[in-house]
Amino acid sequence: GAVVSQHPSRVICKSGTSVKIECRSLDFQATTMFWYRQFPKQSLMLMATSNEGSKATYEQGVEKDKFLINHASLTLSTLTVTSAHPEDSSFYICSARELGRAGDRETQYFGPGTRLLVL
Amino acid sequence: AQSVAQPEDQVNVAEGNPLTVKCTYSVSGNPYLFWYVQYPNRGLQFLLKYITGDNLVKGSYGFEAEFNKSQTSFHLKKPSALVSDSALYFCAAYTNAGKSTFGDGTTLTVKP
């Protein structure tokens, strides 16, 4: 159980276009989803936390208008990179925390990641 | 501020030898501590966690970790390393703000 999927797994786009990444919890309901960015051989940088039905909470330094996050249901969150530029190229990972699982509220389950390359 | 430190960027061990990946933490209140593993171009996989109870926690793939309150440590261990254990390992602490704080990661390389 507790599987999280991401789509697409890899995307290449031209500078100036927008890219949408989907994160789904497949077999559980996620009260909270997180979006991370990871550079090569570096730790995870938390970008934002989203709760279903409410606005995402962005970390300091993350542009809200650049990285649009929507958490429309308990199983789906999307990250849209608007007007992408080469410096946005990175590995984006989502994670989800399960609603109501006794003794396991704290565990985050991660998606497989999306590799974004902006040309 | 709450933090998690992994003092070693890289750990190298020979296959069959025991391995230790170190983690220390600084959090307020009772810590919830986790280990995750990441293989190349993949997301993180949950290995084990400490919430309460026994200080020695057993997890997936033969890994275990020992919670040491006095030393504020949560080192990951395995008695006999496999080449397939080579990966990037992250220690994390769940905070009362509802977020997890991650260490910078330790690359484990197990040589045949």
Side-chain angles (χ1 to χ4, degrees), chain B residues 6-98:
Chain B
Q6 293 179 239
E8 301 158 317
D9 291 337
Q10 181 105 21
V11 170
N12 297 313
V13 297
E15 187 174 31
N17 284 0
L19 69 87
T20 299
V21 182
K22 296 179 181 177
C23 172
T24 59
Y25 64 90
S26 175
V27 301
S28 58
N30 295 321
Y32 298 155
L33 301 166
F34 298 81
W35 276 101
Y36 294 89
V37 59
Q38 184 181 31
Y39 296 99
N41 296 309
R42 302 285 296 277
L44 278 66
Q45 295 178 31
F46 168 74
L47 272 182
L48 51 79
K49 67 179 177 183
Y50 171 83
I51 302 295
T52 187
D54 283 342
N55 290 341
L56 185 63
V57 179
K58 294 188 183 296
S60 305
Y61 312 119
F63 284 94
E64 59 189 28
E66 187 167 11
F67 171 67
N68 188 315
K69 188 172 183 177
S70 63
Q71 297 184 5
T72 62
S73 67
F74 189 56
H75 301 330
L76 181 70
K77 299 180 180 183
K78 186 172 182 180
S80 178
L82 300 172
V83 172
S84 57
D85 293 330
S86 299
L88 182 58
Y89 290 81
F90 289 99
C91 181
Y94 176 72
T95 72
N96 53 17

Side-chain angles (χ1 to χ4, degrees), chain A residues 10 32 34 36 38 41-44 46 49 57 59 91 93 97 103-113 115, chain B residues 6 32 34 36 38-46 49 51 88 90 94-95 98-105 107:
Chain A
R10 185 184 299 266
T32 306
F34 304 88
Y36 293 87
Q38 185 180 33
K41 297 187 178 180
Q42 290 190 7
S43 187
L44 305 171
L46 179 63
T49 303
T57 302
E59 295 299 300
F91 193 53
I93 307 175
R97 189 168 279 150
D104 201 23
R105 294 180 297 115
E106 306 82 7
T107 302
Q108 286 181 245
Y109 296 96
F110 287 81
R115 176 75 59 190
Chain B
Q6 293 179 239
Y32 298 155
F34 298 81
Y36 294 89
Q38 184 181 31
Y39 296 99
N41 296 309
R42 302 285 296 277
L44 278 66
Q45 295 178 31
F46 168 74
K49 67 179 177 183
I51 302 295
L88 182 58
F90 289 99
Y94 176 72
T95 72
K99 298 178 186 177
S100 292
T101 301
F102 285 81
D104 288 340
T107 299

